[in-house]
Amino acid sequence: MTHFVHENVKNYYGSLETSGDLQTSAPCSASSLRLSQSAREALSQVHPEVSKRFFGCGLVVPEKLKGCKVLDLGSGCGRDCYTLSKMVGEDGYVTGIDMSEELIKASRKYIPYHQKHFGYAKPNTEFIQGYLEKLGDVGIASNSMDVVVSNCVMCLCPDKKAVFTEAFKVLKVGGELYFSDMYASKVVPDSLKEDPVLWGEGMAGALYWQDLISIVKELGFSTPHLVNASHIHIYNPELQLKAGGIKYASGTYRVFKLPQHFIQTKALATYKGTVPDYPECFEFDASYAFKTSVPVEVGAEVAAVLQHTRFSPDFTVRMTDVADPGLTHPPQYRHLNPFALADRLGSSVNLCNKTGLVGTQVVGRVGDPPHDHGVTVKSNTP
């Protein structure tokens, strides 16, 4: 099964010229709400020939990347890698890995262009051919990465648990996995997984969104944080029929590799206004927005994220003696449902340029009132 999926995906994407050749709106639903001005500028500087062959379903540029070592799982045409290479700066480094020899060769061609365009003395980007399930086989060391990103690739992988396991292994303690992917509204039946087009479009391999939570927590990651979401529309009537009642959404999540032990109480977190591009308010995810100098009550796990990751210099965290009930009682994860967030934001792609019309995306603010979490969470958003 694994070999069949790998070969099918390589052949499918090797046959596509642009994202307009895909049968869904996934590549049109880039989650750009949270994109900082610096990230927008970096994206605009990517060579147009690289951007033309972008097939992702979001935009994976988390905050505060300067000097970081970043790994892009399924780097494809290299668009995200080159955007990130600008964001990490000359002292940072970006590695892209993809199983397609064709895409790796095409990506490598533009390394000198971006080095010169960004004014770097030497390249800070490399592309490696390999499988995401076996990062060690291509020389990516354990505990070596500050950030791992992935853009609409997990849904193309037959063994998702292996990919998440490898991501966890190569991240340093305090590192982050920041990824956008395609999710299903229910478990995809095995009968759909025999269709090569459904695999190529990500529909056959899309995770049921609740299964994502179970997998990453089992491996030792933090509880996921849902950053943004959009509904995905299927243009091809035949594929719509095959999908039956399954709906699809693009969701961007962030998870962290935290220390094994951290203080198990609630905390008051105060943002210092020091994350680049966010002097007044740092929107950490769709539920938490931290205004500068205003204390916000957070759970024990969020407090650990703010204390043990690259964001630690940007927050003052004062632990309290109030136990966090979310650590002792089964938490509710309604706030992590990408379909509910897409509904709340009014975020969907109605038309894509493949139809000959201009794609339109109607979106709301990430800072709109959060869902009921099942636990007490205070968002500092008006």
Side-chain angles (χ1 to χ4, degrees):
M1 179 65 169
T2 297
H3 177 73
F4 160 75
V5 174
H6 283 161
E7 291 304 310
N8 174 70
V9 170
K10 279 193 283 188
N11 293 335
Y12 193 80
Y13 280 83
S15 68
L16 302 178
E17 293 296 326
T18 71
S19 62
D21 295 324
L22 290 169
Q23 305 298 308
T24 73
S25 65
C28 303
S29 58
S31 301
S32 58
L33 279 175
R34 294 172 44 83
L35 201 59
S36 68
Q37 182 61 36
S38 296
R40 291 179 189 276
E41 292 175 358
L43 180 62
S44 71
Q45 295 181 53
V46 175
H47 196 287
E49 287 299 315
V50 173
S51 296
K52 186 174 73 172
R53 294 199 69 184
F54 170 71
F55 302 114
C57 62
L59 199 56
V60 285
V61 187
E63 311 84 0
K64 198 178 180 183
L65 292 176
K66 189 171 179 57
C68 287
K69 290 187 66 177
V70 180
L71 173 65
D72 182 7
L73 301 177
S75 52
C77 66
R79 189 204 73 164
D80 288 344
C81 284
Y82 288 124
T83 303
L84 292 164
S85 73
K86 175 65 173 177
M87 299 300 294
V88 301
E90 198 164 8
D91 294 330
Y93 201 82
V94 178
T95 300
I97 177 171
D98 201 280
M99 65 181 176
S100 168
E101 181 180 5
E102 177 189 354
L103 289 174
I104 290 296
K105 287 181 178 179
S107 300
R108 285 173 176 165
K109 289 196 306 183
Y110 295 94
I111 290 177
Y113 169 86
H114 290 94
Q115 175 197 344
K116 181 179 179 180
H117 192 62
F118 296 154
Y120 297 161
K122 59 182 181 180
N124 72 339
T125 309
E126 66 174 342
F127 295 95
I128 299 173
Q129 185 182 2
Y131 292 102
L132 311 188
E133 299 89 344
K134 299 179 180 180
L135 298 179
D137 288 359
V138 291
I140 300 174
S142 298
N143 305 303
S144 63
M145 296 292 166
D146 299 300
V147 177
V148 174
V149 302
S150 177
N151 199 337
C152 210
V153 170
M154 296 293 187
C155 60
L156 303 177
C157 297
D159 190 347
K160 294 166 182 53
K161 188 173 181 179
V163 178
F164 281 113
T165 299
E166 289 294 286
F168 186 86
K169 187 184 302 182
V170 302
L171 278 171
K172 301 174 184 176
V173 174
E176 176 180 15
L177 170 59
Y178 189 96
F179 57 104
S180 181
D181 207 49
M182 190 171 176
Y183 296 94
S185 58
K186 57 184 179 181
V187 176
V188 177
D190 289 340
S191 59
L192 296 188
K193 298 181 180 180
E194 299 175 359
D195 190 304
V197 175
L198 292 181
W199 263 111
E201 293 287 335
M203 296 166 63
L207 266 179
Y208 174 42
W209 68 271
Q210 288 193 351
D211 288 343
L212 165 70
I213 301 169
S214 302
I215 291 173
V216 296
K217 288 186 69 65
E218 178 187 345
L219 295 175
F221 279 111
S222 69
T223 302
H225 296 266
L226 178 59
V227 177
N228 207 354
S230 298
H231 290 294
I232 292 176
H233 298 296
I234 304 168
Y235 302 118
N236 186 311
E238 182 180 348
L239 297 188
Q240 284 181 335
L241 184 63
K242 289 180 179 180
I246 301 175
K247 306 298 182 184
Y248 293 92
S250 167
T252 301
Y253 291 89
R254 62 195 322 166
V255 295
F256 295 87
K257 183 177 179 177
L258 297 176
Q260 290 186 350
H261 304 287
F262 53 85
I263 300 175
Q264 306 286 289
T265 63
K266 292 184 177 182
L268 288 175
T270 306
Y271 175 51
K272 299 178 183 179
T274 50
V275 174
D277 293 307
Y278 300 97
E280 298 180 357
C281 182
F282 175 36
E283 293 183 351
F284 179 74
D285 61 13
S287 298
Y288 282 103
F290 297 95
K291 286 186 177 179
T292 300
S293 302
V294 179
V296 176
E297 184 182 79
V298 298
E301 193 177 58
V302 174
V305 170
L306 301 180
Q307 288 174 308
H308 298 289
T309 68
R310 67 187 187 281
F311 299 114
S312 61
D314 305 298
F315 285 85
T316 299
V317 179
R318 181 170 66 84
M319 305 305 298
T320 70
D321 57 2
V322 180
D324 184 349
L327 298 176
T328 56
H329 297 84
Q332 301 294 314
Y333 293 121
R334 291 187 295 274
H335 64 298
L336 299 181
N337 182 344
F339 296 90
L341 180 60
D343 285 342
R344 195 186 92 203
L345 297 178
S347 180
S348 64
V349 176
N350 299 315
L351 301 171
C352 188
N353 59 7
K354 72 190 302 301
T355 65
L357 299 173
V358 177
T360 60
Q361 184 175 28
V362 181
V363 294
R365 296 188 311 121
V366 170
D368 286 344
H371 290 292
D372 173 18
H373 291 48
V375 295
T376 301
V377 176
K378 290 185 178 179
S379 173
N380 197 41
T381 309

